[in-house]
């Protein structure tokens, strides 16, 4: 055995060369230590007041901002993403933490319910029953490569789990170890500043899958948050289900985000739609979970104009550095595989670049070919999209019905398309977590009404969202208290309390 | 191939003899037909107005009452349960359907959220975002043997799934086929009376596990509700997880429902507690999910008096007919296995009866023996309980910490036990879905604050409850609408709507 622990370094996205300091390759003992610390912290952390927990989340936000430009520079080098995008991501992450602080303070997430005793009820009296949500326990969060700030160490999963009262152990993404280390340091400083147990937040790092396997199978972990590939998400899901005590896995995995071009919209503004579509397609080198990888159109006026404008925009799109050399290779391979399928026509390719850069790709096929070849419906992670031309509404419905679950479904429509859109809507609701009109799926707002989720395989659990304030619900479970003395009840459930501002369902009536 | 389909009959619980009419043994083709009908009904049923859906639930309740005494008599014969219990169960089932009708009408379960557009926000405008819950799709419900009315064909799972807007396919429990057939007929009449598609409710019957396997693996089924044995629940869970599209399984499986006798309560009223405990233990022949199968006490004053009174009550308890001969054999075997373990002492046995009847059993051991032998913590379905004597609080905590997840945990306590109870409470919250004081776990109120659920293996999914109005949440998922024209939005999410009385979270503020 070596006396010196193994280390690894980041690879610069642009060059594939090692860059930055060395980080530890954690092993099973490190994972066990982090999980033990999280389990020890849990009873203390879950008992924090809502005010204290909210302040903690805000302190994390402040500490992340306090890192300053070093964070942006590390993320730029490691991810290849440009400064403006990463500054935007940092702003999003910070406001996400502040949103959850506000959610925690308002307290509605506790879902307080009181059913009063009915001592005189016949044939049997009703006892006093009160309910609230409690946190599940320590949560394992897997950092995502594609949003090194917004979906990684202090991203939506971490923020929502901490808001719920769950300690978090993050498995840092090996594609951005320095970015992750800086953010983990900020969280650790917030933990210390707020006087919380050190195990409230843990961070393990290393390049191998074994690390994540050890984390998901640790008996102290109570739930998992993950954003990444379908293969990775399914592997974690299967590990979690095979545990002696199975646990929930919230894996956001795979989506091609169909964009429907309805006839009147296409007729009215095919060229504008084509240009705008490519803006969404190539955003962030196409490395959004909500990247529009599938366009569905009914053959008719405007489709050629749409394709021409989109082809021009794709041809003019510069190659972009992808997150890792591996992702770039997988992208090139995915496009090549699509191109090689029968009845697929290449409409346009973007400009070539360095070996680390991805070239945008626009392909075209028809509905019958798409229906016959399920491989056409698989996600290609990057700026590639397939236009599927349908003969009529019936064929469009068949294509939609055959799709797997999606994060989003987009309608481009005019007033004259309304009846068609109304007919399609129930099907879209069954297929996707978010339905949008006359926009593009690549922006995911952090707010109360957002759903970044959807039926399998978009996620492993369609009952949740990984973005927006509803994400907190994933890490909670209900507990009922029957005839407990007031001293034993959580203060917000006592008679003399008004819920500290949280709504309460009292005898079936919601009381603010 | 036989021209005449196979049939099976009920067995009278008291005699094991065939009784009543013959019922069809459904096969894979019948399951597929029921699921296809449910899938076809889904878009129509989910689009019903809340008023229409509520009326449907109330019509089911009326139709069940309309069956009259034939239902009670069939259930008595098939289950061996007495008339008063079954009349109570019918009343519970009917009021459960009416509760869900009220819940559906009030609409809070839709979790409506609106985040208004912010067109002038910098650096980017915010789109208009609205959210609601939608039903998952057709739900498979497995009837439970132990509550032929309240947890079976039209029980909590069926009522909550229908309330959510999901068609239901019930696999009738083979221990009470006539009871199930009568109730299924009542639901089918309600479906017809309300003008709903016939596939809104399906019912398949037969004695073999293959039927349930076919149901859970049918691609049109979107979720599963189950109450029964740990083995049965895990088998369904594994089938559901191995599907190409995994689905949620809400299996309520196994719980020994620890009852903690705290020192001051024991000192003050050991004998009364002993007698009352046996009343809960022997209720319904011990065939409650919440039967108190484990008693934890710290050695001290009152324990001997508790044991003496409990022993007397157990010895005086008449044998009771169990639900099926198989359950009766399993109970006898489970008690014999417990008795044969080292350091287990038989405190008392109930009176002997017929071969179809179970004899109550009270056993005793100490904490070190319990901790050393995990088999002592497994559920024995029936009127058997094990008293574990702990030397002190530390040992009590060790025993509690080692327990699996539970439906309930009960505290018997006086004012002088308050500090101890406060120290134990966080641990109990981690272990159980319901914590009760100075009562017995065997009553499960149907109301808003009830949680009949808990950590694994009490259930396969601690995030839900199978009793009470919160049960509806298990069959819902969120959908977000971004920038949709008002005509495309669900009416309750439109600007001019007030939510039809349902609360809405508008820009983060709850609006009634």
């Amino acid at each position: 055995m070596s006396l010196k622990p193994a280390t690894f370094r980041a690879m610069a996205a642009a060059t594939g060369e090692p860059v930055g300091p060395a980080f530890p390759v954690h092993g099973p003992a490190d994972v066990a230590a982090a999980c033990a610390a999280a389990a020890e912290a849990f009873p203390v952390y879950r008992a924090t007041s809502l005010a204290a927990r909210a302040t903690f989340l805000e302190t994390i936000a402040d500490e992340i901002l306090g890192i300053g430009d070093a964070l942006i520079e590390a993320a730029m080098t490691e991810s290849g993403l440009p400064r403006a995008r990463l500054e935007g991501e940092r702003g999003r992450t910070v406001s996400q933490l502040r949103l959850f602080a506000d959610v925690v303070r308002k307290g509605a997430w506790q879902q307080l319910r009181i059913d009063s005793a009915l001592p005189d009820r016949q044939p049997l009296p009703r006892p006093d029953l009160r309910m609230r949500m409690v946190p599940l326990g320590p949560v394992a969060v897997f950092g995502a490569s594609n949003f090194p700030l917004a979906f990684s160490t202090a991203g939506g999963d971490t923020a929502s789990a901490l808001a719920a009262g769950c300690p978090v152990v993050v498995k840092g993404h090996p594609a951005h170890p320095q970015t992750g280390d800086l953010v983990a340091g900020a969280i650790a400083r917030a933990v210390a500043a707020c006087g919380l147990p050190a195990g409230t937040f843990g961070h393990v790092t290393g390049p191998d899958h074994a690390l994540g396997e050890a984390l998901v199978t640790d008996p102290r972990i109570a739930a998992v948050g993950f954003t990444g590939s379908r293969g990775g998400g399914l592997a974690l899901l299967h590990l979690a289900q095979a545990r002696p005590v199975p646990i929930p896995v919230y894996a956001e995995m795979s989506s091609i985000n169909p964009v429907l071009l309805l006839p009147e919209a296409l007729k009215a503004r095919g060229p504008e739609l084509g240009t705008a579509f490519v803006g969404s397609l190539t955003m962030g080198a196409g490395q959004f979970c909500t990247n529009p990888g599938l366009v569905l159109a009914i053959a008719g006026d405007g489709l050629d104009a749409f394709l021409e404008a989109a082809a021009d925009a794709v041809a003019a799109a510069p190659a972009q550095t992808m997150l890792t050399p591996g992702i770039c290779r997988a992208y090139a391979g995915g496009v090549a595989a699509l191109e090689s399928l029968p009845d697929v026509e290449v409409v346009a390719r973007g400009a070539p670049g360095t070996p680390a850069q991805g070239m945008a790709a626009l392909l075209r096929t028809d509905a019958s070919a798409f229906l016959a070849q399920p491989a056409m419906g698989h996600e290609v992670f990057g700026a590639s999209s397939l236009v599927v031309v349908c003969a009529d509404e019936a064929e469009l419905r068949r294509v939609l019905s055959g799709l797997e679950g999606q994060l989003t479904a987009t309608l481009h429509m005019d007033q004259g398309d309304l009846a068609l859109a109304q007919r399609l809507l129930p099907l879209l609701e069954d297929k996707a977590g978010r339905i949008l009109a006359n926009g593009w799926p690549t922006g995911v707002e952090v707010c109360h009404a957002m759903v970044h989720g959807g039926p399998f395989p978009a996620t492993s659990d369609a009952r949740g969202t990984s973005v927006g304030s509803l994400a907190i619900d994933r890490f909670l479970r209900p507990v009922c208290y029957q005839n407990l003395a007031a001293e034993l009840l959580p203060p917000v459930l006592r008679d003399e309390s008004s819920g500290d501002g949280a709504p309460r369902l009292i005898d079936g009536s919601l009381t603010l």
Side-chain angles (χ1 to χ4, degrees), chain A:
Chain A
M1 284 187 55
S2 157
L3 289 177
K4 196 178 162 202
T7 60
F8 75 109
R9 294 175 69 201
M11 255 188 289
T15 63
E17 294 299 316
V19 66
F23 294 96
V25 175
H26 286 134
D30 303 295
V31 170
C35 294
E40 198 185 317
F42 180 44
V44 179
Y45 182 58
R46 61 167 287 197
T48 49
S49 71
L50 301 192
R53 204 184 295 169
T55 300
F56 170 50
L57 294 172
E58 289 164 343
T59 307
I60 296 173
D62 294 342
E63 289 288 348
I64 288 172
L65 287 177
I67 302 169
D69 207 49
L71 180 60
I72 302 298
E73 281 170 8
M76 286 171 67
T77 303
E78 291 182 329
S79 71
L81 294 168
R83 171 175 288 277
R85 150 71 186 269
L86 289 163
E87 287 178 348
E89 237 188 271
R90 178 178 60 185
R92 175 193 178 90
T93 298
V94 164
S95 53
Q96 183 164 256
L97 287 158
R98 290 176 180 152
L99 172 72
F100 276 110
D102 185 52
V103 166
V104 167
R105 279 199 189 91
K106 283 184 175 155
W109 59 273
Q110 300 169 97
Q111 299 190 39
L112 305 175
R113 295 176 169 212
I114 298 177
D115 289 317
S116 313
L118 300 173
D120 300 325
R121 189 184 64 173
Q122 293 302 326
L124 288 171
R126 181 170 84 177
D128 179 278
L129 292 149
R130 300 173 191 237
M131 198 207 89
R132 67 163 173 170
M133 290 286 167
V134 299
L136 288 179
V139 172
V141 171
F142 286 72
S145 64
N146 62 338
F147 282 81
L149 295 172
F151 273 95
S152 193
T153 314
D157 285 336
T158 296
S160 57
L162 289 175
C166 300
V168 168
V169 180
V170 166
K171 185 215 159 262
H173 199 288
H176 52 257
Q178 190 169 10
T179 308
D181 184 67
L182 287 168
V183 174
I187 304 176
R189 285 193 297 279
V191 166
C194 295
L196 296 170
T200 303
F201 176 77
H203 188 227
V204 292
T205 55
D208 299 326
H209 290 323
L211 184 65
E213 292 169 18
L215 186 55
V216 169
T217 54
D218 188 285
R220 289 157 292 211
I221 292 297
V224 177
F226 169 89
T227 297
S229 71
R230 185 165 180 169
L234 289 180
L236 296 182
L237 180 64
H238 295 150
L239 284 170
Q241 291 173 336
R243 291 166 45 120
V245 174
I247 55 174
V249 172
Y250 302 101
E252 193 262 88
M253 297 187 290
S254 173
S255 183
I256 56 173
N257 302 296
V259 173
L260 282 67
L261 306 174
L262 300 195
E264 295 300 321
L266 205 48
K267 198 190 297 180
R269 46 197 157 91
E272 295 92 313
L273 286 172
T275 307
F277 159 65
V278 176
S280 173
L281 175 67
T282 57
M283 189 179 287
Q287 300 164 125
F288 276 58
C289 312
T290 52
N291 191 60
L294 184 70
V295 176
L296 305 178
I298 297 175
D301 289 352
L303 179 57
D304 287 345
F306 169 85
L307 285 166
E308 275 166 35
D312 288 349
V314 163
Q320 291 179 78
T321 300
M322 296 191 74
L323 293 158
T324 70
I327 286 174
C328 194
R329 279 192 300 274
Y331 171 67
V335 175
L338 261 185
E339 282 180 358
S340 72
L341 291 174
D343 304 312
V344 169
E345 174 198 338
V346 178
V347 177
R349 290 301 307 261
T354 71
Q357 293 184 316
M359 295 159 57
L362 186 62
L363 310 169
R364 174 192 173 149
T365 192
D366 60 37
S368 56
F370 185 84
L371 287 165
Q373 299 179 79
M376 286 189 193
H378 293 170
E379 184 182 37
V380 175
F381 188 71
S384 160
S385 194
L386 177 64
V387 179
V388 177
V389 180
C390 305
D392 51 24
E393 180 184 343
E395 205 168 56
L396 174 65
R397 290 186 79 92
R398 278 200 295 281
V399 170
L400 277 175
S401 299
L403 289 183
E404 297 187 305
Q406 304 291 337
L407 293 171
T408 68
T410 300
L411 291 163
H412 280 282
M413 54 178 289
D414 273 5
Q415 194 61 25
D417 296 311
L418 199 56
L420 172 58
Q422 274 164 335
R423 291 194 297 276
L424 294 173
L425 198 58
L427 185 51
L428 299 179
E429 286 179 331
D430 277 356
K431 291 289 178 186
R434 177 165 57 112
I435 299 162
L436 56 152
N438 296 329
W440 303 100
T442 33
V444 183
E445 188 71 32
V446 180
C447 60
H448 301 290
M450 176 50 63
V451 178
H452 189 63
F456 185 91
T459 75
S460 56
D461 191 332
R463 294 165 293 177
T465 172
S466 60
V467 176
S469 63
L470 189 69
I472 192 174
D473 284 14
R474 300 176 300 162
F475 301 114
L476 299 169
R477 47 173 275 263
V479 170
C480 170
Y481 308 91
Q482 179 174 325
N483 281 349
L484 250 59
E487 298 95 321
L488 285 176
L489 284 172
V492 285
L493 283 176
R494 294 179 190 165
D495 281 338
E496 71 274 18
S497 162
S498 62
D500 285 350
R504 305 197 295 180
L505 189 74
I506 301 181
D507 296 322
S509 295
L510 198 62
T511 309
L512 296 187

